[in-house]
Amino acid sequence: MRGDVVTVSIPDTDSLSSLLAEDSTDKSFQQIGTIVRIWMRFLVVVAFVLGIAGCGVINLSGNEPLPAVPSLATPQLPDWIEEISP
């Protein structure tokens, strides 16, 4: 009777499922990589534009003169304070 028993293993379904899982994982990693590359390019362009604007090459605002501020009167100091230095 032992000769009539056939052992069946199912490696094909395991390999098929692993191939499908690898394929979907590769696609999702590719999509994530594409999204990361797009965001990195966007951030580089924004940093470049802000760097140029910060250096004064591009004027994002006009050359407005600052308003005049009157000087403050010298306050009366208590006796225990001898002087105020900057």
Side-chain angles (χ1 to χ4, degrees), residues 12-30:
D12 294 334
T13 57
D14 291 337
S15 64
L16 180 62
S17 64
S18 66
L19 285 175
L20 290 175
E22 287 176 10
D23 188 40
S24 64
T25 304
D26 289 343
K27 285 182 183 177
S28 64
F29 280 133
Q30 287 174 353

Side-chain angles (χ1 to χ4, degrees), residues 72-78 84:
L72 294 173
T74 306
Q76 291 293 339
L77 299 176
I84 298 176

Side-chain angles (χ1 to χ4, degrees), residues 12 23 28 33 39 43 45-46 49 53 56 63 67-69 74 76 78 82:
D12 294 334
D23 188 40
S28 64
W39 274 104
L43 290 176
V45 168
V46 167
V49 169
N63 288 334
V69 178
T74 306
Q76 291 293 339
E82 295 179 8

Side-chain angles (χ1 to χ4, degrees), residues 25-38:
T25 304
D26 289 343
K27 285 182 183 177
S28 64
F29 280 133
Q30 287 174 353
Q31 290 173 347
I32 291 171
T34 302
I35 292 170
V36 168
R37 268 188 257 118
I38 290 170

Side-chain angles (χ1 to χ4, degrees), residues 37-86:
R37 268 188 257 118
I38 290 170
W39 274 104
M40 288 299 288
R41 288 178 185 165
F42 173 74
L43 290 176
V44 166
V45 168
V46 167
F48 183 71
V49 169
L50 289 177
I52 289 175
C55 290
V57 175
I58 298 174
N59 262 341
L60 297 179
S61 63
N63 288 334
E64 304 168 0
L66 296 175
V69 178
S71 61
L72 294 173
T74 306
Q76 291 293 339
L77 299 176
D79 292 338
W80 57 274
I81 299 178
E82 295 179 8
E83 122 183 69
I84 298 176
S85 60

